[in-house]
Amino acid sequence: MAATPAMAQSVSQKRVNVTPYLGVDQVVIAPIKGEGDVLTYTNVTAGVAADVRTRRVEAAIDVQYNHSFGWGRQATDQDTISGIATANIMVTRGLSLQAGGLATRARTDGYSGAFAQRGSLSTQVYAGYVGPSYTTRIGDFDINAAYRLGYARIDDSTNRDFPGAQLSDAFADSWTHSLLGSVGFAPDTVIPGVGLVASAGYDREDASQLDQRFEDAWGRVDATVPLSPTLAAVGGIGYEDIEISQRSPLLDANGLPVIRGGRYVTDESSPRALIYDFDDIIWDVGVLWRPSRRTSLEARVGERYGGMTYQGSFNWQGRDSSFALVLFDGIDSFGRIVTGNVAALSGSQFNVARNPFTGDITGCAFSATGGGQCFNDALAGITGANFRYRGVAAQYALQHGQWGYGLGFGYSQRKFITPNGQTVLIRGSRDENWYGIGTMSYAPSSRDSIDVVTYLNYFDASGNRPDVLNYGTFGSYNRNIGRNLSASASLGIDGVKADDLETLINLMGQVGLRYSF
């Protein structure tokens, strides 16, 4: 994460806001289509929201713990930790330390991509990263280096008792390492009309499920050739070596895989099976368009992973709004995606919309100053397999006076990479995911605010797992009734349709109080 302009503020513009809070609310979930009972919960919440901007520190935190007391045997007690945190600390000139984290829930009852609800089977998801970055300039040469340590895990309380459930598909946890370095010069500084950058990187992930290991080492040289004051031709060539391997499941006396906690037990004595082995020359060419310091567009086409690849990005930063779009193509995993999404957050001003009935974040952290991120796609299909990951994602945010808007949408395809001859996902099987989320906030006065969230997600699953459509909307009204006390009321509807299963539509209501310290 590079240092942002906010970190160069004067002393008079320093800002440190830390707000702990306690809350209690009553939630009712009633089915209006499909089978189910009326569920009632009392939620007790403790959380903290922070916005820190000083000369050396820029951080944002929105984290809370929620315990739900269920009324009746069908409404079980639940504990949830949810939120995001990101920080950028300037250690010294050129050297900074970045860190961030995510906590939320995802469903494990076969309804992939659907929002977790009270009464649904779900698992707690955690992801975080930390690492330094260094940038300096020696003469005409720019030098950059960065390292990132990441960790992702989900709770063991996963449920695989649904049609098409694949036990081997259960992610447990993983550690990731990412090392990157580059040296180069801008056009017309060393060579007339040409800028060159030499870069190299190494990425590794060690996942506990079947002792899976991913390693990617690469090096390349990129050139930039200006064609006009705002347009340049770009291209690069290099070499890459990727290996993915894992061990076999432990077999019992009948030759069947041993399963413990919903996951295969690894046979530590088994040799590593090479899942994926790629080493070859990589290249790409494209254009870079920068009509202003607020707008940039880059598009590239090339050859990688043994075939053609297409990548691109567009970024626009307005005075009180931002828009970002990215076209991606790579070899990835759940652990690397979710930690990468957390690392992509930057800045200290986020609008993190929460589901008032569960306390969970609704999938996106919007930022009118840029650096926002959506986690919907990463959480839609949690898997322990590696896959070819291609798609597009976009996000728009606006904060103007009393109004705030956020819009995120995207599409992705995961084509799984697994070894032949093992009892795991079929090689080449694939999932597809479409998602969209929109938020609106309005503060008619200093005491009142209104929030509306609408979401849609369609998960096209591989194998015999059900395809899932999830949609819904909810609105909340908040009012300050004292210096530190506020009240809220919410109403929403959530629908889930999974292939030939019965459509489930629930009506949800909430009233609550919050005290801020």
Side-chain angles (χ1 to χ4, degrees), residues 365-388:
F366 294 105
S367 174
T369 59
Q373 187 68 32
C374 286
F375 304 95
N376 311 64
D377 195 54
L379 300 172
I382 299 177
T383 170
N386 279 263
F387 42 81
R388 181 74 177 271

PDB file of all heavy atoms in Angstrom, residues 365-388:
ATOM      1  N   ALA A 365     -16.501  -2.553   1.292  1.00  0.00           N
ATOM      2  CA  ALA A 365     -16.081  -1.352   2.007  1.00  0.00           C
ATOM      3  C   ALA A 365     -15.912  -0.268   0.951  1.00  0.00           C
ATOM      4  O   ALA A 365     -14.974  -0.314   0.151  1.00  0.00           O
ATOM      5  CB  ALA A 365     -14.780  -1.589   2.760  1.00  0.00           C
ATOM      6  N   PHE A 366     -16.842   0.687   0.902  1.00  0.00           N
ATOM      7  CA  PHE A 366     -16.816   1.733  -0.113  1.00  0.00           C
ATOM      8  C   PHE A 366     -16.026   2.935   0.382  1.00  0.00           C
ATOM      9  O   PHE A 366     -16.072   3.286   1.565  1.00  0.00           O
ATOM     10  CB  PHE A 366     -18.239   2.165  -0.466  1.00  0.00           C
ATOM     11  CG  PHE A 366     -19.047   1.098  -1.148  1.00  0.00           C
ATOM     12  CD1 PHE A 366     -20.042   0.418  -0.466  1.00  0.00           C
ATOM     13  CD2 PHE A 366     -18.799   0.761  -2.467  1.00  0.00           C
ATOM     14  CE1 PHE A 366     -20.788  -0.563  -1.088  1.00  0.00           C
ATOM     15  CE2 PHE A 366     -19.542  -0.227  -3.103  1.00  0.00           C
ATOM     16  CZ  PHE A 366     -20.544  -0.883  -2.413  1.00  0.00           C
ATOM     17  N   SER A 367     -15.312   3.589  -0.540  1.00  0.00           N
ATOM     18  CA  SER A 367     -14.530   4.770  -0.188  1.00  0.00           C
ATOM     19  C   SER A 367     -14.582   5.770  -1.330  1.00  0.00           C
ATOM     20  O   SER A 367     -14.187   5.449  -2.458  1.00  0.00           O
ATOM     21  CB  SER A 367     -13.081   4.403   0.105  1.00  0.00           C
ATOM     22  OG  SER A 367     -12.294   5.563   0.320  1.00  0.00           O
ATOM     23  N   ALA A 368     -15.083   6.974  -1.037  1.00  0.00           N
ATOM     24  CA  ALA A 368     -15.149   8.026  -2.048  1.00  0.00           C
ATOM     25  C   ALA A 368     -13.770   8.560  -2.400  1.00  0.00           C
ATOM     26  O   ALA A 368     -13.592   9.208  -3.439  1.00  0.00           O
ATOM     27  CB  ALA A 368     -16.042   9.168  -1.559  1.00  0.00           C
ATOM     28  N   THR A 369     -12.764   8.297  -1.556  1.00  0.00           N
ATOM     29  CA  THR A 369     -11.399   8.752  -1.823  1.00  0.00           C
ATOM     30  C   THR A 369     -10.554   7.658  -2.460  1.00  0.00           C
ATOM     31  O   THR A 369      -9.343   7.814  -2.615  1.00  0.00           O
ATOM     32  CB  THR A 369     -10.732   9.229  -0.516  1.00  0.00           C
ATOM     33  OG1 THR A 369     -10.722   8.147   0.431  1.00  0.00           O
ATOM     34  CG2 THR A 369     -11.478  10.393   0.078  1.00  0.00           C
ATOM     35  N   GLY A 370     -11.166   6.524  -2.842  1.00  0.00           N
ATOM     36  CA  GLY A 370     -10.449   5.428  -3.473  1.00  0.00           C
ATOM     37  C   GLY A 370      -9.930   4.435  -2.453  1.00  0.00           C
ATOM     38  O   GLY A 370      -9.849   4.722  -1.263  1.00  0.00           O
ATOM     39  N   GLY A 371      -9.581   3.244  -2.923  1.00  0.00           N
ATOM     40  CA  GLY A 371      -9.037   2.223  -2.033  1.00  0.00           C
ATOM     41  C   GLY A 371     -10.072   1.318  -1.419  1.00  0.00           C
ATOM     42  O   GLY A 371      -9.757   0.543  -0.515  1.00  0.00           O
ATOM     43  N   GLY A 372     -11.338   1.380  -1.885  1.00  0.00           N
ATOM     44  CA  GLY A 372     -12.366   0.484  -1.388  1.00  0.00           C
ATOM     45  C   GLY A 372     -12.199  -0.924  -1.961  1.00  0.00           C
ATOM     46  O   GLY A 372     -11.385  -1.160  -2.856  1.00  0.00           O
ATOM     47  N   GLN A 373     -12.998  -1.852  -1.445  1.00  0.00           N
ATOM     48  CA  GLN A 373     -12.857  -3.242  -1.885  1.00  0.00           C
ATOM     49  C   GLN A 373     -14.128  -4.018  -1.579  1.00  0.00           C
ATOM     50  O   GLN A 373     -14.773  -3.791  -0.549  1.00  0.00           O
ATOM     51  CB  GLN A 373     -11.674  -3.917  -1.192  1.00  0.00           C
ATOM     52  CG  GLN A 373     -11.327  -5.287  -1.685  1.00  0.00           C
ATOM     53  CD  GLN A 373     -10.781  -5.288  -3.106  1.00  0.00           C
ATOM     54  OE1 GLN A 373     -10.137  -4.348  -3.534  1.00  0.00           O
ATOM     55  NE2 GLN A 373     -11.053  -6.343  -3.848  1.00  0.00           N
ATOM     56  N   CYS A 374     -14.483  -4.953  -2.472  1.00  0.00           N
ATOM     57  CA  CYS A 374     -15.593  -5.870  -2.239  1.00  0.00           C
ATOM     58  C   CYS A 374     -15.052  -7.268  -1.984  1.00  0.00           C
ATOM     59  O   CYS A 374     -14.123  -7.712  -2.674  1.00  0.00           O
ATOM     60  CB  CYS A 374     -16.549  -5.899  -3.430  1.00  0.00           C
ATOM     61  SG  CYS A 374     -17.591  -4.423  -3.592  1.00  0.00           S
ATOM     62  N   PHE A 375     -15.651  -7.954  -1.009  1.00  0.00           N
ATOM     63  CA  PHE A 375     -15.226  -9.298  -0.638  1.00  0.00           C
ATOM     64  C   PHE A 375     -16.245 -10.358  -1.053  1.00  0.00           C
ATOM     65  O   PHE A 375     -16.063 -11.537  -0.774  1.00  0.00           O
ATOM     66  CB  PHE A 375     -15.013  -9.380   0.879  1.00  0.00           C
ATOM     67  CG  PHE A 375     -14.034  -8.370   1.399  1.00  0.00           C
ATOM     68  CD1 PHE A 375     -14.469  -7.157   1.917  1.00  0.00           C
ATOM     69  CD2 PHE A 375     -12.680  -8.622   1.360  1.00  0.00           C
ATOM     70  CE1 PHE A 375     -13.574  -6.220   2.386  1.00  0.00           C
ATOM     71  CE2 PHE A 375     -11.766  -7.696   1.833  1.00  0.00           C
ATOM     72  CZ  PHE A 375     -12.207  -6.485   2.347  1.00  0.00           C
ATOM     73  N   ASN A 376     -17.325  -9.933  -1.726  1.00  0.00           N
ATOM     74  CA  ASN A 376     -18.393 -10.862  -2.090  1.00  0.00           C
ATOM     75  C   ASN A 376     -17.876 -12.059  -2.862  1.00  0.00           C
ATOM     76  O   ASN A 376     -18.241 -13.206  -2.594  1.00  0.00           O
ATOM     77  CB  ASN A 376     -19.446 -10.144  -2.946  1.00  0.00           C
ATOM     78  CG  ASN A 376     -19.905  -8.839  -2.360  1.00  0.00           C
ATOM     79  OD1 ASN A 376     -19.112  -7.909  -2.223  1.00  0.00           O
ATOM     80  ND2 ASN A 376     -21.177  -8.744  -2.033  1.00  0.00           N
ATOM     81  N   ASP A 377     -17.038 -11.806  -3.853  1.00  0.00           N
ATOM     82  CA  ASP A 377     -16.606 -12.879  -4.735  1.00  0.00           C
ATOM     83  C   ASP A 377     -15.708 -13.876  -4.014  1.00  0.00           C
ATOM     84  O   ASP A 377     -15.847 -15.085  -4.191  1.00  0.00           O
ATOM     85  CB  ASP A 377     -15.874 -12.290  -5.939  1.00  0.00           C
ATOM     86  CG  ASP A 377     -15.714 -13.295  -7.052  1.00  0.00           C
ATOM     87  OD1 ASP A 377     -16.731 -13.873  -7.473  1.00  0.00           O
ATOM     88  OD2 ASP A 377     -14.579 -13.513  -7.495  1.00  0.00           O
ATOM     89  N   ALA A 378     -14.795 -13.381  -3.182  1.00  0.00           N
ATOM     90  CA  ALA A 378     -13.898 -14.284  -2.451  1.00  0.00           C
ATOM     91  C   ALA A 378     -14.676 -15.197  -1.520  1.00  0.00           C
ATOM     92  O   ALA A 378     -14.353 -16.377  -1.359  1.00  0.00           O
ATOM     93  CB  ALA A 378     -12.873 -13.476  -1.664  1.00  0.00           C
ATOM     94  N   LEU A 379     -15.742 -14.672  -0.887  1.00  0.00           N
ATOM     95  CA  LEU A 379     -16.492 -15.430   0.107  1.00  0.00           C
ATOM     96  C   LEU A 379     -17.584 -16.302  -0.504  1.00  0.00           C
ATOM     97  O   LEU A 379     -18.173 -17.123   0.201  1.00  0.00           O
ATOM     98  CB  LEU A 379     -17.126 -14.460   1.117  1.00  0.00           C
ATOM     99  CG  LEU A 379     -16.142 -13.583   1.903  1.00  0.00           C
ATOM    100  CD1 LEU A 379     -16.894 -12.538   2.703  1.00  0.00           C
ATOM    101  CD2 LEU A 379     -15.266 -14.430   2.804  1.00  0.00           C
ATOM    102  N   ALA A 380     -17.851 -16.129  -1.805  1.00  0.00           N
ATOM    103  CA  ALA A 380     -18.965 -16.857  -2.416  1.00  0.00           C
ATOM    104  C   ALA A 380     -18.707 -18.349  -2.511  1.00  0.00           C
ATOM    105  O   ALA A 380     -19.619 -19.152  -2.319  1.00  0.00           O
ATOM    106  CB  ALA A 380     -19.262 -16.283  -3.799  1.00  0.00           C
ATOM    107  N   GLY A 381     -17.480 -18.734  -2.852  1.00  0.00           N
ATOM    108  CA  GLY A 381     -17.195 -20.153  -3.024  1.00  0.00           C
ATOM    109  C   GLY A 381     -15.896 -20.528  -2.344  1.00  0.00           C
ATOM    110  O   GLY A 381     -14.857 -20.615  -3.005  1.00  0.00           O
ATOM    111  N   ILE A 382     -15.935 -20.734  -1.031  1.00  0.00           N
ATOM    112  CA  ILE A 382     -14.720 -21.072  -0.290  1.00  0.00           C
ATOM    113  C   ILE A 382     -14.309 -22.491  -0.634  1.00  0.00           C
ATOM    114  O   ILE A 382     -15.095 -23.428  -0.503  1.00  0.00           O
ATOM    115  CB  ILE A 382     -14.942 -20.922   1.226  1.00  0.00           C
ATOM    116  CG1 ILE A 382     -15.299 -19.474   1.560  1.00  0.00           C
ATOM    117  CG2 ILE A 382     -13.708 -21.354   2.003  1.00  0.00           C
ATOM    118  CD1 ILE A 382     -15.617 -19.242   3.024  1.00  0.00           C
ATOM    119  N   THR A 383     -13.072 -22.667  -1.083  1.00  0.00           N
ATOM    120  CA  THR A 383     -12.595 -23.953  -1.547  1.00  0.00           C
ATOM    121  C   THR A 383     -11.139 -24.141  -1.149  1.00  0.00           C
ATOM    122  O   THR A 383     -10.394 -23.173  -1.007  1.00  0.00           O
ATOM    123  CB  THR A 383     -12.727 -24.060  -3.084  1.00  0.00           C
ATOM    124  OG1 THR A 383     -12.044 -25.225  -3.532  1.00  0.00           O
ATOM    125  CG2 THR A 383     -12.127 -22.855  -3.769  1.00  0.00           C
ATOM    126  N   GLY A 384     -10.743 -25.392  -0.980  1.00  0.00           N
ATOM    127  CA  GLY A 384      -9.364 -25.693  -0.666  1.00  0.00           C
ATOM    128  C   GLY A 384      -8.509 -25.923  -1.888  1.00  0.00           C
ATOM    129  O   GLY A 384      -7.306 -26.177  -1.768  1.00  0.00           O
ATOM    130  N   ALA A 385      -9.087 -25.837  -3.090  1.00  0.00           N
ATOM    131  CA  ALA A 385      -8.361 -26.106  -4.332  1.00  0.00           C
ATOM    132  C   ALA A 385      -7.794 -24.825  -4.916  1.00  0.00           C
ATOM    133  O   ALA A 385      -8.282 -23.722  -4.667  1.00  0.00           O
ATOM    134  CB  ALA A 385      -9.287 -26.766  -5.346  1.00  0.00           C
ATOM    135  N   ASN A 386      -6.738 -24.965  -5.732  1.00  0.00           N
ATOM    136  CA  ASN A 386      -6.253 -23.867  -6.563  1.00  0.00           C
ATOM    137  C   ASN A 386      -7.059 -23.842  -7.853  1.00  0.00           C
ATOM    138  O   ASN A 386      -7.666 -24.846  -8.249  1.00  0.00           O
ATOM    139  CB  ASN A 386      -4.771 -24.054  -6.885  1.00  0.00           C
ATOM    140  CG  ASN A 386      -3.873 -23.605  -5.751  1.00  0.00           C
ATOM    141  OD1 ASN A 386      -3.360 -22.488  -5.756  1.00  0.00           O
ATOM    142  ND2 ASN A 386      -3.671 -24.475  -4.771  1.00  0.00           N
ATOM    143  N   PHE A 387      -7.053 -22.690  -8.532  1.00  0.00           N
ATOM    144  CA  PHE A 387      -7.865 -22.572  -9.735  1.00  0.00           C
ATOM    145  C   PHE A 387      -7.357 -21.445 -10.620  1.00  0.00           C
ATOM    146  O   PHE A 387      -6.678 -20.523 -10.166  1.00  0.00           O
ATOM    147  CB  PHE A 387      -9.338 -22.323  -9.382  1.00  0.00           C
ATOM    148  CG  PHE A 387      -9.543 -21.329  -8.265  1.00  0.00           C
ATOM    149  CD1 PHE A 387      -9.495 -19.965  -8.503  1.00  0.00           C
ATOM    150  CD2 PHE A 387      -9.766 -21.762  -6.964  1.00  0.00           C
ATOM    151  CE1 PHE A 387      -9.682 -19.053  -7.471  1.00  0.00           C
ATOM    152  CE2 PHE A 387      -9.951 -20.854  -5.920  1.00  0.00           C
ATOM    153  CZ  PHE A 387      -9.907 -19.496  -6.191  1.00  0.00           C
ATOM    154  N   ARG A 388      -7.676 -21.551 -11.897  1.00  0.00           N
ATOM    155  CA  ARG A 388      -7.489 -20.443 -12.838  1.00  0.00           C
ATOM    156  C   ARG A 388      -8.614 -19.458 -12.567  1.00  0.00           C
ATOM    157  O   ARG A 388      -9.789 -19.803 -12.620  1.00  0.00           O
ATOM    158  CB  ARG A 388      -7.542 -20.947 -14.271  1.00  0.00           C
ATOM    159  CG  ARG A 388      -7.333 -19.873 -15.348  1.00  0.00           C
ATOM    160  CD  ARG A 388      -5.904 -19.425 -15.449  1.00  0.00           C
ATOM    161  NE  ARG A 388      -5.709 -18.457 -16.524  1.00  0.00           N
ATOM    162  CZ  ARG A 388      -5.412 -18.770 -17.785  1.00  0.00           C
ATOM    163  NH1 ARG A 388      -5.277 -20.057 -18.129  1.00  0.00           N
ATOM    164  NH2 ARG A 388      -5.224 -17.821 -18.694  1.00  0.00           N
TER     165      ARG A 388
END
